[in-house]
Amino acid sequence: MSRDSNPVVFDGHNDALLRLWKSGRSDAVQRFVSGEDEGHIDLPRAATGGLGGGLCAIYVPSERVLDDDGNFPTPTRAEALEVTMAQAGLLARAERESQGALKICRTAQDIRTAFANGSFASVMHLEGAEAITADLNLLYALYDMGLRTLGPVWSRPNIFAFGVPFRYPSSPDIGPGLSSYGKALVRSCNELGIMIDLSHLNEAGFWEVAKLSDAPLVASHSNVHAICGHSRNVTDRQLDAIRDSGGLVGINFGVSFLHPEGKRDLAMDLSMLVRHVDYIVDRIGIDHVALGSDFDGTRIPEALRDARDLPKLIDALRAGGYEGHDLEKITNGNWLRVLEQTWGA
């Protein structure tokens, strides 16, 4: 699927809803719809850059870092519920106020239709399930509101699992795996057809999801641990399991997750991002790599100001030898395949 000469980009992660919520502005949604100077994404800049849609995260931030090891405090359930519903409301308002320029998508066909109509194909994603209690009742309510992908944790513990802390250099093998509640959450997500995102889950949790889940394994916004030894990145063994399940890795644009020394090098050339793509393609194949920018949630290379500059990344991928159908797989096709397989529609 393409618009003009470039394929449409479907992106595995953005934190635009967090940015809108944190702004506290009464006109935040209208500014997102009509265009603004803040952040990485709004609808006009997405249209300019060929960003056709993506997973729009609902995330409840931690107020502070607890210690020098990168451990974050877990919000209370009351805090998480309030923020989760507020951000879900912002997404619903954006759909209403955009008058068709943004659509909340519940099926792969919804995404294709949005692409065809020039609408932003938004998928509601929950990044950290702190608002959900052990009875899982809210999971079903959120599903009916449009939730179709879920990360059980962010990089902190909750009742479901242990999120991997931000550490460099470090293995992702930090802490215990899923709780009994986490295992029930995985089973319910499989039942409903909600994609389980592994990007902030530690290694023990990853392997327990791999054992329990019958859906493709997905790390929506992570990179290659063999290149950048950050705890948030995916090891070779995890990559192999993702391939065997039919899943994918969405390449994160965050410089700290790209740089071989974990540096926040904003002057980084986009060839470094392509290097991570190359590694995944060489190890597990072209069908298992996509994009997961982390727009509005991390520091990205200066070569990519915001969504408007996605054509520069496509040029870098072309310079790396990716053309035609292979380029389309990276930019949107692999996401569509995995979501269709997971959702069953």
Side-chain angles (χ1 to χ4, degrees):
M1 297 180 181
S2 62
R3 291 178 184 167
D4 300 323
S5 60
N6 284 336
V8 176
V9 172
F10 186 86
D11 179 36
H13 193 87
N14 74 72
D15 283 295
L17 294 174
L18 173 66
R19 177 172 61 79
L20 298 181
W21 173 77
K22 287 177 70 175
S23 76
R25 296 180 61 114
S26 61
D27 63 347
V29 169
Q30 187 53 51
R31 285 165 58 86
F32 177 80
V33 169
S34 62
E36 56 184 323
D37 297 327
E38 303 295 326
H40 294 140
I41 296 179
D42 57 35
L43 293 188
R45 284 181 286 177
T48 297
L51 178 60
L55 275 57
C56 295
I58 295 172
Y59 163 66
V60 182
S62 292
E63 291 186 0
R64 64 194 186 283
V65 179
L66 278 181
D67 55 39
D68 293 335
D69 290 328
N71 297 314
F72 289 84
T74 304
T76 67
R77 199 271 171 155
E79 292 169 335
L81 181 61
E82 179 181 357
V83 177
T84 295
M85 298 311 293
Q87 292 185 28
L90 286 170
L91 183 60
R93 286 184 60 190
E95 181 178 50
R96 177 181 291 269
E97 294 185 22
S98 73
Q99 298 182 334
L102 180 148
K103 298 295 292 183
I104 298 174
C105 296
R106 293 166 169 81
T107 68
Q109 185 55 50
D110 286 348
I111 297 173
R112 293 187 177 95
T113 299
F115 284 178
N117 293 338
S119 301
F120 187 90
S122 174
V123 175
M124 186 188 293
H125 170 74
L126 189 61
E127 186 178 28
E130 287 81 13
I132 298 174
T133 52
D135 60 24
L136 302 182
N137 289 336
L138 184 63
L139 176 70
Y140 291 84
L142 289 170
Y143 180 84
D144 283 350
M145 292 171 63
L147 181 72
R148 290 298 181 272
T149 80
L150 174 151
V153 288
W154 187 69
S155 289
R156 59 199 174 201
N158 63 21
I159 66 169
F160 300 109
F162 195 94
V164 65
F166 286 76
R167 297 181 187 172
Y168 177 93
S170 175
S171 160
D173 189 12
I174 306 170
L178 302 179
S179 68
S180 59
Y181 301 133
K183 293 173 183 178
L185 176 64
V186 169
R187 295 187 186 101
S188 292
C189 285
N190 279 179
E191 172 195 330
L192 289 168
I194 295 173
M195 187 197 84
I196 301 164
D197 180 20
L198 304 169
S199 271
H200 283 276
L201 194 60
N202 68 357
E203 189 166 5
F206 177 100
W207 291 115
E208 290 193 317
V209 172
K211 181 178 180 180
L212 288 167
S213 179
D214 58 12
L217 300 175
V218 172
S220 71
H221 57 302
S222 294
N223 294 334
V224 174
H225 194 271
I227 297 174
C228 172
H230 198 290
S231 57
R232 278 270 286 102
N233 286 341
V234 183
T235 67
D236 284 355
R237 185 166 170 247
Q238 289 174 313
L239 285 172
D240 293 345
I242 288 168
R243 173 200 59 211
D244 294 344
S245 74
L248 63 78
V249 178
I251 296 296
N252 191 315
F253 297 178
V255 292
S256 298
F257 311 125
L258 290 166
H259 196 283
E261 298 176 13
K263 294 181 178 179
R264 292 189 176 185
D265 179 12
L266 300 181
M268 177 186 298
D269 191 86
L270 295 182
S271 61
M272 180 58 69
L273 196 152
V274 177
R275 181 180 171 189
H276 284 258
V277 173
D278 288 342
Y279 189 98
I280 295 173
V281 171
D282 290 344
R283 184 165 185 99
I284 63 173
I286 190 70
D287 292 328
H288 306 290
V289 63
L291 301 177
S293 70
D294 214 350
F295 276 151
D296 282 330
T298 193
R299 302 289 297 278
I300 67 175
E302 291 172 345
L304 295 172
R305 293 170 299 171
D306 51 39
R308 290 172 295 179
D309 284 338
L310 283 170
K312 294 181 182 178
L313 176 56
I314 291 175
D315 288 344
L317 288 165
R318 284 197 173 106
Y322 297 101
E323 296 281 358
H325 192 46
D326 285 348
L327 183 60
E328 191 165 302
K329 284 184 176 183
I330 295 169
T331 53
N332 65 69
N334 288 336
W335 269 120
L336 282 168
R337 174 186 59 79
V338 165
L339 293 175
E340 189 164 41
Q341 184 175 343
T342 303
W343 295 344

